[in-house]
């Protein structure tokens, strides 16, 4: 049995001068987030091969907001005060269990099944355009996670493979909602809020093989499907109902292959060469009726590097490159329908890096 406790406090100051709906404005806000939690877990061997695991997590989260909204002009001056939301505070508590069963069929074959609950922290919108948005906190989402898996070890300990099949059920999923109505008031633009229910289903496979004393290969593959089951539709407009849409940043297929060639030298120093290929299927950067404007294309990258570590293990010298084929991908930026304004971002071009690292421990 083991127990872990954590305490975390963070303060985020936000100052934004912007032009929206033909008017300049300033938002000056400060959000303080505090998280405290304790987790305990117990493993119990039911038989020589069957092990049960039970865990429980208690957490308390607090979010505090001070926010001021001003009218402004082209000089960035703070003019008339549009709203003041100071001293706002919201607390959330949660008790989340975890249960798991694992069975060691042979020394090299293990299967398991796990159920757990989790959440993503809630909080306030730090860039609230109106008082109604500032006063409406985003609740934590709730996740029921189910997973079954298989882990194998073979080839004299040189080959390991893990396979996992998972299903996640989300309640109060956190997402960006366009033009919501809050307290009867239409809020133009995007607001971070609890959008509804969603689920994800996927399969992940990862394998590592020691092909020789010097060469190691790692392969990873993932298949993912996602969908909104319910979606908050505050305007009632058909183009604001995103049921059956994919969740943002959820490529259906992804994977990678990595090779590492490690050469120990007689002096105790070490040469290492790595090469990798990464692939990610197309996905969407946000939830939007204009899906093509948020579509991220499929992307493939090739990386490589050479590393030399001294015998003392304190110094490492490297020469590495990313996106060696210098592939260009146009990525979605921002879109303002009222202005007909669209921006496009681009991925990082080929980068070559010389590095020196000093390890003190």
């Amino acid at each position: 049995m083991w127990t872990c406790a954590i305490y975390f406090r963070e303060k985020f100051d936000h100052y934004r001068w912007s032009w929206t709906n033909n008017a300049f404005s300033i938002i000056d806000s400060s959000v303080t987030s505090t998280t405290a939690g304790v987790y305990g877990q117990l493993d119990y061997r039911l038989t020589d091969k069957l092990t049960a695991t039970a865990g429980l997590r208690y957490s308390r989260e607090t979010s505090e907001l001070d926010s001021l909204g001003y009218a402004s002009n082209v000089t960035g001056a703070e003019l008339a005060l549009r709203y003041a939301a100071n001293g706002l505070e919201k607390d959330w508590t949660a008790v989340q269990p975890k249960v798991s069963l694992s069975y060691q069929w042979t020394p090299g074959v293990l299967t398991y099944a796990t159920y757990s609950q989790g959440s993503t922290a809630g909080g306030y919108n730090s860039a609230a355009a109106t008082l109604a948005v500032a006063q409406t906190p985003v609740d934590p989402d709730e996740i029921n996670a189910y997973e079954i898996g298989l882990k194998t070890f073979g080839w004299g300990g040189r080959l390991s493979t893990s396979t996992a099949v998972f299903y996640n059920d989300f309640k109060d999923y956190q997402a960006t909602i366009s033009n919501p109505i809050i307290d009867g008031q239409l809020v133009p633009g995007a607001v971070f809020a609890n959008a509804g229910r969603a689920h994800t289903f996927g399969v992940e496979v990862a394998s590592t093989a020691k092909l020789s004393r010097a060469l190691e290969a790692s392969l990873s593959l993932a298949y993912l499907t996602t969908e909104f089951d319910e979606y908050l539709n505050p305007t009632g407009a058909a183009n604001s109902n995103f049921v059956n849409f994919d969740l943002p940043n959820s490529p259906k297929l992804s994977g990678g292959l990595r090779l590492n060639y490690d050469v120990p030298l007689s002096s105790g120093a070490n040469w290492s060469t790595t090469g990798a290929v990464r692939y990610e299927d197309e996905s969407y950067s946000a939830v939007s009726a204009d899906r093509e404007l948020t579509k991220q294309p499929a992307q493939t990258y090739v990386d490589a590097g050479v590393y030399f570590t001294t015998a003392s293990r304190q110094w490492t010298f490297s020469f590495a490159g990313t996106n060696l084929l210098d592939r260009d991908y146009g990525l979605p930026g921002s879109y303002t329908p009222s202005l007909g304004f669209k921006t496009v971002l681009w991925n990082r071009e080929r980068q070559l890096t010389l590095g020196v690292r000093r390890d003190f421990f």
Side-chain angles (χ1 to χ4, degrees), residues 54-339:
L56 193 66
R57 180 180 187 268
Y58 171 81
S59 63
R60 180 181 177 87
E61 300 173 5
T62 301
S63 183
E64 304 168 59
L65 173 70
D66 293 306
S67 184
L68 300 174
Y70 297 93
S72 186
N73 57 24
V74 69
T75 67
E78 296 178 356
L79 303 178
L81 181 66
R82 288 182 169 176
Y83 75 83
N86 293 320
L88 298 181
E89 183 175 322
K90 178 73 174 182
D91 297 320
W92 299 273
T93 59
V95 178
Q96 298 165 333
K98 172 186 176 180
V99 291
S100 179
L101 286 174
S102 63
Y103 194 86
Q104 192 80 52
W105 297 89
T106 69
V109 178
L110 171 76
T111 56
Y112 67 89
T114 300
Y115 165 75
S116 62
Q117 290 183 352
S119 63
T120 303
Y124 289 94
N125 279 273
S126 61
T130 68
L131 179 61
V133 174
Q135 292 176 329
T136 306
V138 181
D139 290 327
D141 60 13
E142 300 175 15
I143 309 167
N144 288 295
Y146 308 83
E147 180 175 322
I148 58 174
L150 169 67
K151 297 183 179 182
T152 62
F153 304 88
W155 200 18
R158 292 188 293 168
L159 175 65
S160 64
T161 302
S162 62
T163 303
V165 180
F166 61 87
Y167 179 88
N168 297 320
D169 181 45
F170 294 84
K171 179 183 177 183
D172 291 330
Y173 183 85
Q174 297 175 355
T176 299
I177 301 176
S178 299
N179 305 316
I181 294 175
I182 297 180
D183 292 340
Q185 179 182 359
L186 175 65
V187 180
V191 175
F192 194 58
N194 297 109
R197 301 190 70 102
H199 73 268
T200 65
F201 170 79
V203 180
E204 295 180 343
V205 179
S207 183
T208 300
K210 192 76 173 178
L211 302 178
S212 70
R213 295 183 62 182
L215 181 62
E216 182 178 88
S218 299
L219 175 69
S220 63
L221 297 170
Y223 171 80
L224 178 67
T225 63
T226 67
E227 187 175 289
F228 280 106
D229 302 307
E230 298 175 3
Y231 199 90
L232 177 64
N233 186 13
T235 65
N239 66 352
S240 296
N241 188 353
F242 301 120
V243 171
N244 299 326
F245 274 44
D246 296 336
L247 273 61
N249 302 307
S250 302
K252 181 162 290 188
L253 297 173
S254 61
L257 174 64
R258 182 180 181 88
L259 297 175
N260 186 80
Y261 194 80
D262 202 45
V263 182
L265 303 179
S266 58
S267 63
N270 190 82
W271 276 104
S272 179
T273 303
T274 64
V277 179
R278 297 175 285 129
Y279 172 79
E280 187 174 284
D281 207 356
E282 65 182 31
S283 61
Y284 299 92
S285 63
V287 181
S288 173
D290 300 309
R291 301 193 77 193
E292 291 304 312
L293 297 176
T294 66
K295 189 174 183 178
Q296 301 177 131
Q299 302 169 55
T300 302
Y301 296 100
V302 176
D303 310 322
V306 178
Y307 306 86
F308 176 77
T309 303
T310 61
S312 66
R313 297 294 186 266
Q314 292 183 323
W315 292 96
T316 300
F317 303 88
S318 63
F319 177 60
T322 56
N323 191 16
L324 292 178
L325 301 183
D326 205 21
R327 296 283 183 87
D328 290 330
Y329 299 103
L331 306 177
S334 60
Y335 177 59
T336 308
S338 61
L339 302 177

